[in-house]
Amino acid sequence: MSKRDEQKAKTRQIIIHAAFEQFSKGGLINTPTASVAKAAGVSHGTIFAHFPTREDLLDAVIEEFGIRVSERMHELAQGACGMREILQVHLKGISEYENFYIRLISETPLLHEDTKNTLIMIQSAVSFHLTQVAEREMEKHIIKRMPLNLMFNTWLGLIHYYLANRDLFAPEGSVISRYGEEWVQHFMNLISL
């Protein structure tokens, strides 16, 4: 990689990092790209040199989020981890970007179709890893046999409900820090034999 390409890749990462912060604060729909440029310390035009459209920037940020959340789950799912551990890792991955994730799930209906598809791909990757562990534990009679899609959607519905209503459950702090272990325990009670 040439020095120019290295600098280009570095600037791209700086922009994505700044966009994470700005989208977390101002929302995915309403945050202007000028705010991202200012936070990144680059010109407004530089944003569009790296991301031709605002949707391209948003897709890159969501994709980066998905990679970060699913990487550790992927490692664990390949090993001998249990259901409780994979749920905890899922929450830990989200908690590092909790404000961004709350914006993402709250604003999904307003997003561009391609951006929605990026989110669906992330949820599919998470579902795949949870399913791997669930199938192993069903075979070993550790957890109940049930449709895997319902199991995954029940888990996701639980955490999304609390996150989307953060004002009610944890207006001053992290919903996941406050309720995460309780969610895991409740879910394990539902599915365990």
Side-chain angles (χ1 to χ4, degrees), residues 146-186:
M146 63 181 72
L148 294 167
N149 62 320
L150 290 179
M151 175 186 282
F152 176 68
N153 288 329
T154 300
W155 169 246
L156 218 52
L158 174 68
I159 62 176
H160 283 189
Y161 178 76
Y162 275 80
L163 289 172
N165 292 288
R166 175 172 53 185
D167 292 348
L168 296 174
F169 296 112
E172 300 298 322
S174 163
V175 185
I176 295 174
S177 294
R178 188 165 179 186
Y179 292 100
E181 272 308 310
E182 189 178 340
W183 299 338
V184 171
Q185 185 58 50
H186 175 69

mmCIF file of all heavy atoms in Angstrom, residues 146-186:
data_model
loop_
_atom_site.group_PDB
_atom_site.id
_atom_site.type_symbol
_atom_site.label_atom_id
_atom_site.label_comp_id
_atom_site.label_asym_id
_atom_site.label_seq_id
_atom_site.Cartn_x
_atom_site.Cartn_y
_atom_site.Cartn_z
ATOM 1 N N MET A 146 -37.232 -25.136 20.262
ATOM 2 C CA MET A 146 -38.214 -24.137 19.842
ATOM 3 C C MET A 146 -37.771 -23.591 18.493
ATOM 4 O O MET A 146 -36.601 -23.741 18.118
ATOM 5 C CB MET A 146 -38.341 -23.015 20.878
ATOM 6 C CG MET A 146 -37.080 -22.198 21.097
ATOM 7 S SD MET A 146 -37.281 -20.917 22.349
ATOM 8 C CE MET A 146 -37.356 -21.883 23.834
ATOM 9 N N PRO A 147 -38.688 -22.977 17.766
ATOM 10 C CA PRO A 147 -38.278 -22.384 16.485
ATOM 11 C C PRO A 147 -37.196 -21.338 16.716
ATOM 12 O O PRO A 147 -37.364 -20.439 17.552
ATOM 13 C CB PRO A 147 -39.571 -21.758 15.955
ATOM 14 C CG PRO A 147 -40.678 -22.490 16.654
ATOM 15 C CD PRO A 147 -40.132 -22.842 18.008
ATOM 16 N N LEU A 148 -36.101 -21.475 15.988
ATOM 17 C CA LEU A 148 -34.954 -20.587 16.206
ATOM 18 C C LEU A 148 -35.270 -19.131 15.880
ATOM 19 O O LEU A 148 -34.767 -18.223 16.530
ATOM 20 C CB LEU A 148 -33.755 -21.076 15.389
ATOM 21 C CG LEU A 148 -33.214 -22.435 15.853
ATOM 22 C CD1 LEU A 148 -32.251 -23.008 14.818
ATOM 23 C CD2 LEU A 148 -32.537 -22.308 17.204
ATOM 24 N N ASN A 149 -36.127 -18.929 14.869
ATOM 25 C CA ASN A 149 -36.479 -17.541 14.530
ATOM 26 C C ASN A 149 -37.236 -16.868 15.670
ATOM 27 O O ASN A 149 -37.012 -15.704 15.984
ATOM 28 C CB ASN A 149 -37.273 -17.477 13.222
ATOM 29 C CG ASN A 149 -38.591 -18.223 13.298
ATOM 30 O OD1 ASN A 149 -38.669 -19.301 13.885
ATOM 31 N ND2 ASN A 149 -39.616 -17.668 12.718
ATOM 32 N N LEU A 150 -38.113 -17.635 16.345
ATOM 33 C CA LEU A 150 -38.848 -17.058 17.467
ATOM 34 C C LEU A 150 -37.925 -16.795 18.653
ATOM 35 O O LEU A 150 -38.055 -15.786 19.351
ATOM 36 C CB LEU A 150 -39.997 -17.981 17.885
ATOM 37 C CG LEU A 150 -41.155 -18.066 16.893
ATOM 38 C CD1 LEU A 150 -42.220 -19.026 17.396
ATOM 39 C CD2 LEU A 150 -41.757 -16.696 16.637
ATOM 40 N N MET A 151 -36.974 -17.702 18.868
ATOM 41 C CA MET A 151 -36.017 -17.501 19.957
ATOM 42 C C MET A 151 -35.225 -16.214 19.719
ATOM 43 O O MET A 151 -35.118 -15.365 20.619
ATOM 44 C CB MET A 151 -35.052 -18.693 20.051
ATOM 45 C CG MET A 151 -33.959 -18.487 21.100
ATOM 46 S SD MET A 151 -32.750 -19.802 21.095
ATOM 47 C CE MET A 151 -33.672 -21.045 21.965
ATOM 48 N N PHE A 152 -34.697 -16.050 18.521
ATOM 49 C CA PHE A 152 -33.883 -14.872 18.221
ATOM 50 C C PHE A 152 -34.720 -13.593 18.308
ATOM 51 O O PHE A 152 -34.304 -12.601 18.911
ATOM 52 C CB PHE A 152 -33.253 -14.995 16.832
ATOM 53 C CG PHE A 152 -32.478 -13.776 16.421
ATOM 54 C CD1 PHE A 152 -31.294 -13.447 17.071
ATOM 55 C CD2 PHE A 152 -32.930 -12.950 15.410
ATOM 56 C CE1 PHE A 152 -30.584 -12.310 16.717
ATOM 57 C CE2 PHE A 152 -32.220 -11.819 15.044
ATOM 58 C CZ PHE A 152 -31.040 -11.497 15.698
ATOM 59 N N ASN A 153 -35.915 -13.627 17.725
ATOM 60 C CA ASN A 153 -36.746 -12.413 17.737
ATOM 61 C C ASN A 153 -37.242 -12.064 19.137
ATOM 62 O O ASN A 153 -37.437 -10.889 19.446
ATOM 63 C CB ASN A 153 -37.917 -12.563 16.760
ATOM 64 C CG ASN A 153 -37.436 -12.496 15.321
ATOM 65 O OD1 ASN A 153 -36.459 -11.821 15.014
ATOM 66 N ND2 ASN A 153 -38.102 -13.211 14.432
ATOM 67 N N THR A 154 -37.430 -13.068 19.983
ATOM 68 C CA THR A 154 -37.804 -12.794 21.379
ATOM 69 C C THR A 154 -36.673 -12.072 22.094
ATOM 70 O O THR A 154 -36.889 -11.094 22.815
ATOM 71 C CB THR A 154 -38.153 -14.112 22.111
ATOM 72 O OG1 THR A 154 -39.245 -14.729 21.424
ATOM 73 C CG2 THR A 154 -38.523 -13.861 23.563
ATOM 74 N N TRP A 155 -35.447 -12.550 21.882
ATOM 75 C CA TRP A 155 -34.274 -11.908 22.501
ATOM 76 C C TRP A 155 -34.120 -10.472 21.997
ATOM 77 O O TRP A 155 -33.991 -9.532 22.771
ATOM 78 C CB TRP A 155 -33.016 -12.729 22.192
ATOM 79 C CG TRP A 155 -31.734 -12.037 22.550
ATOM 80 C CD1 TRP A 155 -30.770 -11.618 21.697
ATOM 81 C CD2 TRP A 155 -31.275 -11.671 23.861
ATOM 82 N NE1 TRP A 155 -29.741 -11.009 22.377
ATOM 83 C CE2 TRP A 155 -30.032 -11.032 23.718
ATOM 84 C CE3 TRP A 155 -31.810 -11.818 25.147
ATOM 85 C CZ2 TRP A 155 -29.300 -10.541 24.794
ATOM 86 C CZ3 TRP A 155 -31.083 -11.322 26.226
ATOM 87 C CH2 TRP A 155 -29.847 -10.696 26.041
ATOM 88 N N LEU A 156 -34.190 -10.326 20.689
ATOM 89 C CA LEU A 156 -34.013 -8.996 20.095
ATOM 90 C C LEU A 156 -35.147 -8.054 20.515
ATOM 91 O O LEU A 156 -34.903 -6.882 20.828
ATOM 92 C CB LEU A 156 -33.977 -9.125 18.569
ATOM 93 C CG LEU A 156 -33.025 -8.232 17.812
ATOM 94 C CD1 LEU A 156 -31.623 -8.300 18.352
ATOM 95 C CD2 LEU A 156 -33.045 -8.561 16.329
ATOM 96 N N GLY A 157 -36.373 -8.577 20.548
ATOM 97 C CA GLY A 157 -37.514 -7.760 20.958
ATOM 98 C C GLY A 157 -37.368 -7.254 22.381
ATOM 99 O O GLY A 157 -37.685 -6.096 22.681
ATOM 100 N N LEU A 158 -36.859 -8.131 23.255
ATOM 101 C CA LEU A 158 -36.658 -7.742 24.649
ATOM 102 C C LEU A 158 -35.678 -6.567 24.757
ATOM 103 O O LEU A 158 -35.986 -5.544 25.365
ATOM 104 C CB LEU A 158 -36.122 -8.954 25.446
ATOM 105 C CG LEU A 158 -35.719 -8.690 26.893
ATOM 106 C CD1 LEU A 158 -36.941 -8.364 27.744
ATOM 107 C CD2 LEU A 158 -34.998 -9.920 27.464
ATOM 108 N N ILE A 159 -34.528 -6.710 24.149
ATOM 109 C CA ILE A 159 -33.519 -5.646 24.308
ATOM 110 C C ILE A 159 -33.920 -4.382 23.535
ATOM 111 O O ILE A 159 -33.702 -3.278 24.016
ATOM 112 C CB ILE A 159 -32.091 -6.118 23.954
ATOM 113 C CG1 ILE A 159 -31.971 -6.541 22.508
ATOM 114 C CG2 ILE A 159 -31.635 -7.206 24.871
ATOM 115 C CD1 ILE A 159 -30.542 -6.910 22.111
ATOM 116 N N HIS A 160 -34.553 -4.548 22.397
ATOM 117 C CA HIS A 160 -34.959 -3.364 21.629
ATOM 118 C C HIS A 160 -36.044 -2.571 22.359
ATOM 119 O O HIS A 160 -36.054 -1.343 22.314
ATOM 120 C CB HIS A 160 -35.448 -3.756 20.238
ATOM 121 C CG HIS A 160 -34.322 -4.071 19.302
ATOM 122 N ND1 HIS A 160 -34.494 -4.277 17.960
ATOM 123 C CD2 HIS A 160 -32.983 -4.205 19.512
ATOM 124 C CE1 HIS A 160 -33.328 -4.533 17.386
ATOM 125 N NE2 HIS A 160 -32.398 -4.490 18.313
ATOM 126 N N TYR A 161 -36.952 -3.270 23.042
ATOM 127 C CA TYR A 161 -38.009 -2.562 23.770
ATOM 128 C C TYR A 161 -37.399 -1.652 24.828
ATOM 129 O O TYR A 161 -37.764 -0.478 24.934
ATOM 130 C CB TYR A 161 -38.985 -3.559 24.411
ATOM 131 C CG TYR A 161 -40.052 -2.854 25.214
ATOM 132 C CD1 TYR A 161 -41.113 -2.215 24.577
ATOM 133 C CD2 TYR A 161 -39.973 -2.783 26.605
ATOM 134 C CE1 TYR A 161 -42.076 -1.522 25.305
ATOM 135 C CE2 TYR A 161 -40.933 -2.099 27.339
ATOM 136 C CZ TYR A 161 -41.978 -1.477 26.680
ATOM 137 O OH TYR A 161 -42.926 -0.788 27.409
ATOM 138 N N TYR A 162 -36.483 -2.202 25.594
ATOM 139 C CA TYR A 162 -35.857 -1.391 26.653
ATOM 140 C C TYR A 162 -35.027 -0.257 26.054
ATOM 141 O O TYR A 162 -35.059 0.876 26.532
ATOM 142 C CB TYR A 162 -34.969 -2.262 27.545
ATOM 143 C CG TYR A 162 -35.726 -2.942 28.662
ATOM 144 C CD1 TYR A 162 -36.462 -4.098 28.421
ATOM 145 C CD2 TYR A 162 -35.700 -2.434 29.948
ATOM 146 C CE1 TYR A 162 -37.150 -4.729 29.445
ATOM 147 C CE2 TYR A 162 -36.386 -3.046 30.979
ATOM 148 C CZ TYR A 162 -37.117 -4.194 30.715
ATOM 149 O OH TYR A 162 -37.801 -4.802 31.734
ATOM 150 N N LEU A 163 -34.266 -0.565 25.023
ATOM 151 C CA LEU A 163 -33.390 0.470 24.438
ATOM 152 C C LEU A 163 -34.212 1.589 23.800
ATOM 153 O O LEU A 163 -33.874 2.766 23.939
ATOM 154 C CB LEU A 163 -32.452 -0.155 23.405
ATOM 155 C CG LEU A 163 -31.357 -1.053 23.981
ATOM 156 C CD1 LEU A 163 -30.609 -1.767 22.856
ATOM 157 C CD2 LEU A 163 -30.373 -0.260 24.839
ATOM 158 N N ALA A 164 -35.286 1.215 23.104
ATOM 159 C CA ALA A 164 -36.105 2.233 22.439
ATOM 160 C C ALA A 164 -36.854 3.107 23.448
ATOM 161 O O ALA A 164 -37.293 4.201 23.113
ATOM 162 C CB ALA A 164 -37.096 1.570 21.479
ATOM 163 N N ASN A 165 -36.976 2.616 24.681
ATOM 164 C CA ASN A 165 -37.654 3.373 25.745
ATOM 165 C C ASN A 165 -36.675 3.756 26.853
ATOM 166 O O ASN A 165 -37.019 3.725 28.032
ATOM 167 C CB ASN A 165 -38.817 2.551 26.307
ATOM 168 C CG ASN A 165 -39.923 2.401 25.290
ATOM 169 O OD1 ASN A 165 -40.642 3.345 24.987
ATOM 170 N ND2 ASN A 165 -40.025 1.212 24.707
ATOM 171 N N ARG A 166 -35.488 4.119 26.454
ATOM 172 C CA ARG A 166 -34.445 4.474 27.426
ATOM 173 C C ARG A 166 -34.916 5.565 28.384
ATOM 174 O O ARG A 166 -34.583 5.549 29.562
ATOM 175 C CB ARG A 166 -33.180 4.932 26.720
ATOM 176 C CG ARG A 166 -32.144 5.422 27.730
ATOM 177 C CD ARG A 166 -30.812 5.732 27.190
ATOM 178 N NE ARG A 166 -30.829 6.655 26.083
ATOM 179 C CZ ARG A 166 -29.749 6.973 25.409
ATOM 180 N NH1 ARG A 166 -28.590 6.436 25.715
ATOM 181 N NH2 ARG A 166 -29.804 7.817 24.414
ATOM 182 N N ASP A 167 -35.696 6.509 27.892
ATOM 183 C CA ASP A 167 -36.169 7.596 28.757
ATOM 184 C C ASP A 167 -36.939 7.069 29.964
ATOM 185 O O ASP A 167 -36.940 7.690 31.012
ATOM 186 C CB ASP A 167 -37.055 8.569 27.971
ATOM 187 C CG ASP A 167 -36.266 9.340 26.941
ATOM 188 O OD1 ASP A 167 -35.019 9.291 26.993
ATOM 189 O OD2 ASP A 167 -36.888 9.985 26.083
ATOM 190 N N LEU A 168 -37.605 5.938 29.791
ATOM 191 C CA LEU A 168 -38.362 5.354 30.903
ATOM 192 C C LEU A 168 -37.480 4.520 31.828
ATOM 193 O O LEU A 168 -37.649 4.529 33.036
ATOM 194 C CB LEU A 168 -39.477 4.443 30.363
ATOM 195 C CG LEU A 168 -40.580 5.079 29.550
ATOM 196 C CD1 LEU A 168 -41.503 4.012 28.980
ATOM 197 C CD2 LEU A 168 -41.375 6.044 30.427
ATOM 198 N N PHE A 169 -36.535 3.782 31.226
ATOM 199 C CA PHE A 169 -35.809 2.780 32.008
ATOM 200 C C PHE A 169 -34.459 3.244 32.559
ATOM 201 O O PHE A 169 -34.025 2.767 33.604
ATOM 202 C CB PHE A 169 -35.614 1.506 31.165
ATOM 203 C CG PHE A 169 -36.911 0.846 30.807
ATOM 204 C CD1 PHE A 169 -37.360 0.819 29.497
ATOM 205 C CD2 PHE A 169 -37.703 0.274 31.790
ATOM 206 C CE1 PHE A 169 -38.561 0.207 29.166
ATOM 207 C CE2 PHE A 169 -38.908 -0.331 31.472
ATOM 208 C CZ PHE A 169 -39.340 -0.363 30.160
ATOM 209 N N ALA A 170 -33.794 4.123 31.872
ATOM 210 C CA ALA A 170 -32.483 4.592 32.347
ATOM 211 C C ALA A 170 -32.185 5.958 31.730
ATOM 212 O O ALA A 170 -31.272 6.103 30.920
ATOM 213 C CB ALA A 170 -31.398 3.588 31.987
ATOM 214 N N PRO A 171 -32.979 6.970 32.116
ATOM 215 C CA PRO A 171 -32.831 8.276 31.455
ATOM 216 C C PRO A 171 -31.457 8.926 31.623
ATOM 217 O O PRO A 171 -31.049 9.727 30.793
ATOM 218 C CB PRO A 171 -33.921 9.132 32.125
ATOM 219 C CG PRO A 171 -34.315 8.412 33.356
ATOM 220 C CD PRO A 171 -34.020 6.967 33.131
ATOM 221 N N GLU A 172 -30.768 8.548 32.668
ATOM 222 C CA GLU A 172 -29.475 9.201 32.928
ATOM 223 C C GLU A 172 -28.267 8.366 32.539
ATOM 224 O O GLU A 172 -27.138 8.806 32.682
ATOM 225 C CB GLU A 172 -29.377 9.564 34.419
ATOM 226 C CG GLU A 172 -30.452 10.507 34.902
ATOM 227 C CD GLU A 172 -30.427 11.865 34.210
ATOM 228 O OE1 GLU A 172 -29.324 12.367 33.941
ATOM 229 O OE2 GLU A 172 -31.516 12.394 33.920
ATOM 230 N N GLY A 173 -28.474 7.138 32.093
ATOM 231 C CA GLY A 173 -27.290 6.309 31.853
ATOM 232 C C GLY A 173 -27.526 5.210 30.849
ATOM 233 O O GLY A 173 -28.403 5.302 29.995
ATOM 234 N N SER A 174 -26.745 4.160 30.996
ATOM 235 C CA SER A 174 -26.801 3.036 30.068
ATOM 236 C C SER A 174 -27.899 2.052 30.462
ATOM 237 O O SER A 174 -27.926 1.553 31.589
ATOM 238 C CB SER A 174 -25.446 2.320 30.069
ATOM 239 O OG SER A 174 -25.573 1.043 29.495
ATOM 240 N N VAL A 175 -28.788 1.767 29.526
ATOM 241 C CA VAL A 175 -29.852 0.789 29.759
ATOM 242 C C VAL A 175 -29.237 -0.603 29.903
ATOM 243 O O VAL A 175 -29.653 -1.401 30.749
ATOM 244 C CB VAL A 175 -30.872 0.781 28.594
ATOM 245 C CG1 VAL A 175 -32.034 -0.144 28.896
ATOM 246 C CG2 VAL A 175 -31.365 2.178 28.304
ATOM 247 N N ILE A 176 -28.231 -0.873 29.084
ATOM 248 C CA ILE A 176 -27.617 -2.207 29.114
ATOM 249 C C ILE A 176 -26.883 -2.438 30.434
ATOM 250 O O ILE A 176 -26.982 -3.517 31.019
ATOM 251 C CB ILE A 176 -26.681 -2.401 27.904
ATOM 252 C CG1 ILE A 176 -27.512 -2.377 26.614
ATOM 253 C CG2 ILE A 176 -25.907 -3.703 28.016
ATOM 254 C CD1 ILE A 176 -26.693 -2.420 25.331
ATOM 255 N N SER A 177 -26.177 -1.423 30.926
ATOM 256 C CA SER A 177 -25.504 -1.586 32.217
ATOM 257 C C SER A 177 -26.507 -1.848 33.323
ATOM 258 O O SER A 177 -26.266 -2.634 34.231
ATOM 259 C CB SER A 177 -24.702 -0.325 32.566
ATOM 260 O OG SER A 177 -23.657 -0.163 31.671
ATOM 261 N N ARG A 178 -27.633 -1.175 33.242
ATOM 262 C CA ARG A 178 -28.630 -1.294 34.305
ATOM 263 C C ARG A 178 -29.424 -2.593 34.233
ATOM 264 O O ARG A 178 -29.759 -3.189 35.251
ATOM 265 C CB ARG A 178 -29.576 -0.096 34.235
ATOM 266 C CG ARG A 178 -30.522 -0.015 35.390
ATOM 267 C CD ARG A 178 -31.174 1.339 35.480
ATOM 268 N NE ARG A 178 -32.096 1.371 36.593
ATOM 269 C CZ ARG A 178 -32.887 2.381 36.848
ATOM 270 N NH1 ARG A 178 -32.849 3.457 36.097
ATOM 271 N NH2 ARG A 178 -33.698 2.351 37.867
ATOM 272 N N TYR A 179 -29.760 -3.047 33.018
ATOM 273 C CA TYR A 179 -30.678 -4.183 32.880
ATOM 274 C C TYR A 179 -30.086 -5.411 32.168
ATOM 275 O O TYR A 179 -30.735 -6.446 32.114
ATOM 276 C CB TYR A 179 -31.940 -3.762 32.111
ATOM 277 C CG TYR A 179 -32.809 -2.799 32.866
ATOM 278 C CD1 TYR A 179 -32.750 -1.435 32.584
ATOM 279 C CD2 TYR A 179 -33.675 -3.234 33.859
ATOM 280 C CE1 TYR A 179 -33.553 -0.531 33.280
ATOM 281 C CE2 TYR A 179 -34.474 -2.349 34.555
ATOM 282 C CZ TYR A 179 -34.418 -0.993 34.256
ATOM 283 O OH TYR A 179 -35.199 -0.110 34.954
ATOM 284 N N GLY A 180 -28.904 -5.292 31.622
ATOM 285 C CA GLY A 180 -28.360 -6.358 30.785
ATOM 286 C C GLY A 180 -28.349 -7.728 31.441
ATOM 287 O O GLY A 180 -28.835 -8.705 30.865
ATOM 288 N N GLU A 181 -27.828 -7.811 32.643
ATOM 289 C CA GLU A 181 -27.765 -9.113 33.325
ATOM 290 C C GLU A 181 -29.162 -9.644 33.630
ATOM 291 O O GLU A 181 -29.406 -10.848 33.558
ATOM 292 C CB GLU A 181 -26.921 -9.024 34.600
ATOM 293 C CG GLU A 181 -25.439 -9.265 34.356
ATOM 294 C CD GLU A 181 -25.135 -10.562 33.597
ATOM 295 O OE1 GLU A 181 -25.635 -11.635 33.966
ATOM 296 O OE2 GLU A 181 -24.390 -10.480 32.593
ATOM 297 N N GLU A 182 -30.074 -8.732 33.959
ATOM 298 C CA GLU A 182 -31.458 -9.144 34.225
ATOM 299 C C GLU A 182 -32.093 -9.721 32.954
ATOM 300 O O GLU A 182 -32.807 -10.722 33.010
ATOM 301 C CB GLU A 182 -32.249 -7.928 34.726
ATOM 302 C CG GLU A 182 -33.633 -8.252 35.234
ATOM 303 C CD GLU A 182 -34.358 -7.011 35.764
ATOM 304 O OE1 GLU A 182 -33.703 -6.010 36.088
ATOM 305 O OE2 GLU A 182 -35.598 -7.059 35.819
ATOM 306 N N TRP A 183 -31.834 -9.113 31.806
ATOM 307 C CA TRP A 183 -32.363 -9.635 30.535
ATOM 308 C C TRP A 183 -31.822 -11.035 30.259
ATOM 309 O O TRP A 183 -32.561 -11.927 29.865
ATOM 310 C CB TRP A 183 -31.979 -8.744 29.349
ATOM 311 C CG TRP A 183 -32.468 -7.334 29.395
ATOM 312 C CD1 TRP A 183 -33.532 -6.849 30.110
ATOM 313 C CD2 TRP A 183 -31.897 -6.227 28.706
ATOM 314 N NE1 TRP A 183 -33.648 -5.499 29.893
ATOM 315 C CE2 TRP A 183 -32.668 -5.091 29.038
ATOM 316 C CE3 TRP A 183 -30.825 -6.083 27.841
ATOM 317 C CZ2 TRP A 183 -32.381 -3.830 28.525
ATOM 318 C CZ3 TRP A 183 -30.534 -4.829 27.325
ATOM 319 C CH2 TRP A 183 -31.311 -3.715 27.664
ATOM 320 N N VAL A 184 -30.516 -11.188 30.455
ATOM 321 C CA VAL A 184 -29.898 -12.494 30.183
ATOM 322 C C VAL A 184 -30.501 -13.551 31.098
ATOM 323 O O VAL A 184 -30.876 -14.637 30.645
ATOM 324 C CB VAL A 184 -28.361 -12.424 30.361
ATOM 325 C CG1 VAL A 184 -27.747 -13.819 30.302
ATOM 326 C CG2 VAL A 184 -27.731 -11.520 29.293
ATOM 327 N N GLN A 185 -30.639 -13.228 32.389
ATOM 328 C CA GLN A 185 -31.195 -14.192 33.341
ATOM 329 C C GLN A 185 -32.640 -14.540 32.973
ATOM 330 O O GLN A 185 -33.033 -15.707 32.980
ATOM 331 C CB GLN A 185 -31.125 -13.633 34.768
ATOM 332 C CG GLN A 185 -31.571 -14.633 35.826
ATOM 333 C CD GLN A 185 -30.751 -15.921 35.784
ATOM 334 O OE1 GLN A 185 -29.523 -15.880 35.775
ATOM 335 N NE2 GLN A 185 -31.430 -17.068 35.721
ATOM 336 N N HIS A 186 -33.419 -13.520 32.647
ATOM 337 C CA HIS A 186 -34.826 -13.747 32.276
ATOM 338 C C HIS A 186 -34.915 -14.625 31.030
ATOM 339 O O HIS A 186 -35.695 -15.589 30.985
ATOM 340 C CB HIS A 186 -35.513 -12.401 32.021
ATOM 341 C CG HIS A 186 -36.912 -12.518 31.522
ATOM 342 N ND1 HIS A 186 -37.950 -12.979 32.306
ATOM 343 C CD2 HIS A 186 -37.448 -12.258 30.291
ATOM 344 C CE1 HIS A 186 -39.061 -12.991 31.589
ATOM 345 N NE2 HIS A 186 -38.787 -12.565 30.374
#
